[in-house]
Every structure is written in C-alpha cells, then in structure tokens.
Amino acid sequence: MRRLLFLAALAAMSCSDEKAGVDAANIIGTWHMAGQKVNGTYAAYDESCASATDLYVFGADGTYGTTIYDSDCEPFVSESGHWTRQGKTLQVLDLDPAAYLDGSFTVDHYNANELWLRKEVLADDGTSTIIFYYLERAN
C-alpha cells in the first residue's frame, strides 16, 4: 500500500482540468501524500513518522526526489529519478531498476494546491484496480 501511495505522490506533481493537457510548471515543487482512493474507497494517508513528513519534490530540470520515513522517523525509502509530462500523462522514471516508484499516471485534476493522479493496476488474473492518489502542495 505504501508503494502505491508513493507512486501516486511522485506522479501527482501535475494536473489540469483543461483538455489541452497539464502545465508542467504546476508540477514543479514539493508535495505530500494526503490520501488515496482504491476502487471507490477513500483512505487518508497515514504518515509513519509523527515528526517528519514524506515529501515528493519535482524539479524544474525534470528531476525528482523523495524520502519516506518509517515509524522510527528514519528514512525508509530515498530515491531519485526523472519526470516528464505529455498532455495529461505524467511519466516518472526512477534511476534504480528496482524502484519504489516508476510508471505512468493520468492527471485527473489539479490546481495550485492539490493534485489527483490515476493509475490502473492489472492483476495476473486480468482484473484491474483503479487507484487515485491525492496530493497536496507542501508549505
């Protein structure tokens, strides 16, 4: 579940209600995961560490970085990579082949302070799960 939240957060850096696509400038910055909706059921994101917030940073140069903390407030995941966008698709490419976050996301909604990313995950049995990631801009 943390992996899915992390994927959403990194992808969540860009959204637009416009049919023309997503303005990359709206993705640039620092975001935190607020929650996710899986097959219609919403759940708030549960930070493991009470004193540190999991953050996702999208750079103007197309780089991204993130650190996720465990319950002891020690870095649990620390990764970097690149992101691009085309229309309403946000592509996150991690530099590590065993990446925690890697993939393509559809931006369903965004404004200056929030971002909804959608990903369809296919199971081996052919069923799919629709996951929405909800991110808020970090202050």
Side-chain angles (χ1 to χ4, degrees):
M1 179 175 241
R2 281 197 137 229
R3 178 181 174 109
L4 294 176
L5 288 175
F6 181 77
L7 294 174
L10 291 176
M13 299 307 128
S14 172
C15 266
S16 175
D17 292 326
E18 301 174 13
K19 293 181 181 175
V22 174
D23 182 355
N26 289 326
I27 296 172
I28 297 166
T30 303
W31 298 80
H32 72 90
M33 182 67 65
Q36 73 172 4
K37 186 185 290 187
V38 178
N39 288 337
T41 303
Y42 180 81
Y45 183 65
D46 183 18
E47 296 278 356
S48 295
C49 173
S51 63
T53 302
D54 300 343
L55 296 176
Y56 308 90
V57 180
F58 291 80
D61 60 353
T63 59
Y64 90 83
T66 190
T67 301
I68 298 176
Y69 296 91
D70 64 16
S71 59
D72 294 326
C73 298
E74 295 294 325
F76 169 64
V77 173
S78 183
E79 294 181 346
S80 62
H82 295 91
W83 66 273
T84 60
R85 70 110 191 119
Q86 183 171 0
K88 293 184 85 169
T89 301
L90 180 66
Q91 182 74 34
V92 179
L93 302 171
D94 198 291
L95 299 177
D96 180 350
Y100 193 65
L101 173 66
D102 196 43
S104 183
F105 302 85
T106 300
V107 177
D108 274 0
H109 168 78
Y110 82 90
N111 63 35
N113 296 311
E114 61 184 41
L115 172 61
W116 280 94
L117 301 174
R118 177 173 35 96
K119 184 161 185 88
E120 183 172 4
V121 180
L122 298 175
D124 291 338
D125 66 1
T127 61
S128 64
T129 301
I130 305 296
I131 301 169
F132 289 91
Y133 300 98
Y134 173 51
L135 291 106
E136 294 177 337
R137 189 169 296 276
N139 294 328

